[in-house]
Amino acid sequence: MPISELAPLPVELQEWQEKIEKLAAGHGLDFFPTIFEMVPADRLNEIAAKGGFPVRYPHWRFGMEYEKLGKGYHYGLQKIYELVINNDPCYAYLMASNEMVDQKLVMAHVYGHCDFFKCNAWFGHTNRKMMDQMANHGARIRRYMDEVGVEPVEEFIDACLSIEDLIDIHSPFIKRRADKHDNGENKHSPPKPARFDSKEYLDPFVNPKAEYKRNNAEDNPQPQRLPERPERDVMLFLLEQAPLNAWQADVLSIIRDEAYYFAPQGQTKIMNEGWASYWHSKMMTTQIASAAEIVQFADHHSGTVASSGGSLNPYKLGIELFRDIEDRWNRGAYGKEYEDCDDYAERQDWDRELGEGRDKIFEVRRVHNDLTFIDSFLTLDFVRQHKLFKFGYNPGTEYYEIETRAFPQVKQQLLANLTNLGRPQIAVVDGNYKNRGELYLEHEYTGVELQTNYAQDTLRNLHRLWTRPVHIATILDETQTVISFDGGEVSVDQGDDVDPDDDD
């Protein structure tokens, strides 16, 4: 039976896939069925430009990304070795021009990713039939383009994409609001009309409010604040409250669904790439690569995990931290007794021969995301060994320089960069600001200011969705600031100074 009905792999690669799949399963990896397809470089760039989904909706940004990837490949600046999709079955693409040792490396790497997709808790809520769902999204948006016109739909998608980060990435795991429709009714009350099941933000269209207004009038006798508490899922608030017509609400819901699908990949980038690199490295060096291939593998692997002075390589940090955890738990180098030991030589030679390392890294893979991974397992010894440091801009020299190698500051900077995917935390606090139907948002300031040109452009797009003036409260230059857009021009209103030492 061919591995892929679209483009079966060459016989030799089919045989290697079967071998590598058995090796991966033998190490305890648990993955969905995996389908590999070999494609030329241009086709792989096209698929990658669409986020790995060739059936995705049409939009100009995918063409821009394709041009960027294509030029990078043809100029020798970058090359996509692998592309794997979180789906059941998993889909993975191999570049036809890669040499055999690269194809083996990629297959081993892919099975690490597939195991992570299936077993990591942060992917538990994702749609495992997303390839089909993406095709459905594409069909719906193409239909709207036929009905309304390509340009209006693309412009509306542009506005939606500008706020795709304004979701609540923890909402799939935390119940932040009461169920909108309570099934527990008083047995003496008259029965309410039947309600059809639907997604919460589509409920107004599936179950029109007019049918329930008379029956539910007594449920909310007094008008409530909108929203009742700050709402981080700005896209959901707009779906429920913005004056959108049916096709606009559907398009916004599509962008939101896809944002939640991709969010765990941003939350686990270090772990996911580290886990896949750990397993391709172990399998290639001990079971797959021949003596004639090992040098070429080492060259390509070292390029993947190489560190540069100005950036953090998630492959490098992830694989080294997994190896460090395995080594520490094998030696028993953790817990109160180890932490209380202040003799450097004794800590280096510490070995209780527990052999718990492999079980521990599988446990870590199952329950953590990047934020908790770094917070729980980054140690002073690890930072020293890998020479991690915090750097910043020195206005005196007009250069970026090393600020500190101190462990607390390095760790805090990493955690700050990983919190909320490194994006600003913004919430809707008032959907009827000044009782005029205006939208008021608030930025949770943590020491990093909003980039004002981005904020202004985003407010313009929010105004397109809300159709009334929009405002965002933040801190600029240690001063309380409200940036507003009323449909004509952007205004900036600055108020009182903020005490930088005040945590309230």
Side-chain angles (χ1 to χ4, degrees):
M1 180 178 178
I3 293 177
S4 171
E5 297 181 359
L6 297 176
L9 295 180
V11 174
E12 184 178 8
L13 278 180
Q14 289 191 39
E15 293 174 350
W16 271 111
Q17 185 201 353
E18 294 171 3
K19 292 177 184 178
I20 294 171
E21 184 173 307
K22 290 178 181 178
L23 291 174
H27 283 291
L29 299 185
D30 181 16
F31 38 80
F32 296 120
T34 305
I35 299 173
F36 286 90
E37 183 178 354
M38 182 178 287
V39 295
D42 285 345
R43 176 60 175 162
L44 185 57
N45 288 334
E46 179 186 343
I47 296 171
K50 294 184 176 182
F53 294 92
V55 294
R56 208 167 178 189
Y57 62 84
H59 189 254
W60 61 266
R61 69 171 176 142
F62 300 137
M64 295 287 288
E65 184 65 21
Y66 170 75
E67 286 295 314
K68 177 183 174 182
L69 293 173
K71 284 183 171 60
Y73 175 75
H74 290 298
Y75 294 156
L77 301 175
Q78 62 184 24
K79 180 180 180 180
I80 300 175
Y81 278 98
E82 52 86 19
L83 186 62
V84 58
I85 309 305
N86 169 29
N87 198 76
D88 181 10
C90 284
Y91 291 92
Y93 301 93
L94 304 175
M95 186 178 289
S97 58
N98 282 348
E99 298 182 48
M100 179 57 68
V101 65
D102 292 328
Q103 306 292 29
K104 295 177 184 178
L105 183 158
V106 168
M107 286 183 174
H109 192 87
V110 161
Y111 280 110
H113 279 310
C114 294
D115 169 86
F116 197 91
F117 289 147
K118 182 177 180 180
C119 301
N120 182 265
W122 296 87
F123 284 89
H125 72 278
T126 57
N127 186 347
R128 302 301 189 174
K129 298 298 180 183
M130 199 60 183
M131 189 68 78
D132 297 336
Q133 188 64 44
M134 287 288 190
N136 178 273
H137 290 172
R140 283 150 61 186
I141 289 180
R142 287 183 179 90
R143 185 173 73 247
Y144 297 139
M145 287 180 170
D146 291 339
E147 295 173 355
V148 181
V150 173
E151 189 169 339
V153 175
E154 280 208 334
E155 289 178 352
F156 186 79
I157 292 175
D158 291 343
C160 297
L161 289 174
S162 72
I163 61 168
E164 65 176 344
D165 293 332
L166 301 184
I167 58 174
D168 185 355
I169 58 176
H170 297 108
S171 63
F173 311 98
I174 301 173
K175 187 174 180 180
R176 298 195 189 277
R177 56 164 93 174
D179 291 336
K180 189 172 182 180
H181 307 298
D182 186 4
N183 291 326
E185 299 179 5
N186 187 308
K187 64 181 181 179
H188 300 296
S189 63
K192 296 182 179 179
R195 180 176 293 279
F196 298 99
D197 291 335
S198 69
K199 292 185 177 181
E200 187 172 6
Y201 52 81
L202 289 178
D203 188 72
F205 304 100
V206 178
N207 301 291
K209 293 181 180 179
E211 296 293 329
Y212 304 93
K213 186 174 182 180
R214 180 178 59 82
N215 301 77
N216 296 328
E218 69 279 5
D219 294 344
N220 296 292
Q222 297 296 328
Q224 297 180 336
R225 181 183 178 89
L226 183 68
E228 293 182 7
R229 59 184 61 84
E231 176 59 74
R232 286 187 177 181
D233 193 340
V234 178
M235 298 187 81
L236 177 59
F237 182 83
L238 292 172
L239 279 166
E240 293 177 337
Q241 305 297 337
L244 305 173
N245 59 38
W247 74 264
Q248 290 173 327
D250 192 29
V251 170
L252 182 56
S253 74
I254 287 172
I255 304 300
R256 179 175 176 270
D257 283 348
E258 294 186 5
Y260 272 104
Y261 169 81
F262 285 113
Q265 298 186 31
Q267 291 174 278
T268 60
K269 178 69 174 178
I270 294 171
M271 287 187 65
N272 200 344
E273 297 297 354
W275 184 252
S277 299
Y278 173 93
W279 286 109
H280 87 229
S281 176
K282 182 170 289 293
M283 288 190 283
M284 286 294 292
T285 55
T286 61
Q287 298 170 303
I288 298 174
S290 65
E293 295 172 328
I294 196 68
V295 173
Q296 186 178 5
F297 159 74
D299 179 54
H300 292 177
H301 173 75
S302 63
T304 301
V305 299
S307 297
S308 61
S311 62
L312 187 70
N313 186 339
Y315 294 80
K316 175 68 173 177
L317 181 58
I319 188 174
E320 295 298 348
L321 203 46
F322 271 117
R323 286 172 174 170
D324 183 67
I325 294 168
E326 183 177 32
D327 175 65
R328 287 170 55 206
W329 261 256
N330 279 336
R331 297 186 295 115
Y334 63 91
K336 187 176 188 302
E337 183 182 0
Y338 177 77
E339 297 298 334
D340 289 343
C341 177
D342 55 7
D343 186 296
Y344 179 77
E346 184 179 351
R347 287 169 68 96
Q348 291 298 107
D349 297 334
W350 192 285
D351 191 357
R352 298 294 186 262
E353 299 182 355
L354 298 182
E356 299 174 347
R358 184 60 57 83
D359 290 339
K360 184 62 179 180
I361 62 173
F362 272 91
E363 175 193 317
V364 170
R365 175 269 276 145
R366 187 173 65 253
V367 301
H368 285 275
N369 62 22
D370 285 348
L371 189 65
T372 59
F373 183 56
I374 297 297
D375 192 31
S376 301
F377 301 106
L378 189 75
T379 64
L380 173 60
D381 292 338
F382 184 91
V383 169
R384 286 177 173 171
Q385 179 185 352
H386 294 279
K387 301 178 180 178
L388 299 181
F389 57 84
K390 177 184 177 184
F391 70 94
Y393 182 73
N394 184 338
T397 62
E398 297 184 350
Y399 286 104
Y400 283 92
E401 299 175 352
I402 295 176
E403 289 185 345
T404 180
R405 294 185 184 272
F407 171 65
Q409 285 87 339
V410 171
K411 183 174 182 178
Q412 185 60 41
Q413 184 63 52
L414 277 172
L415 295 176
N417 291 344
L418 294 170
T419 300
N420 199 45
L421 308 180
R423 314 283 169 69
Q425 297 193 55
I426 295 171
V428 177
V429 295
D430 195 347
N432 188 27
Y433 182 55
K434 296 183 178 178
N435 201 32
R436 295 190 301 203
E438 299 179 6
L439 186 64
Y440 191 90
L441 302 99
E442 190 169 84
H443 168 224
E444 185 177 323
Y445 180 75
T446 57
V448 180
E449 294 182 356
L450 292 179
Q451 193 167 336
T452 54
N453 58 333
Y454 279 35
Q456 292 174 12
D457 289 342
T458 303
L459 287 178
R460 289 186 176 94
N461 287 318
L462 273 171
H463 181 272
R464 177 182 176 85
L465 302 174
W466 189 250
T467 71
R468 297 284 298 159
V470 291
H471 317 266
I472 183 166
T474 185
I475 294 176
L476 298 177
D477 298 325
E478 299 182 0
T479 303
Q480 297 280 4
T481 304
V482 176
I483 307 173
S484 305
F485 181 71
D486 61 3
E489 60 182 20
V490 175
S491 62
V492 179
D493 180 23
Q494 293 192 307
D496 298 332
D497 291 344
V498 176
D499 183 355
D501 297 324
D502 187 2
D503 295 331
D504 296 333

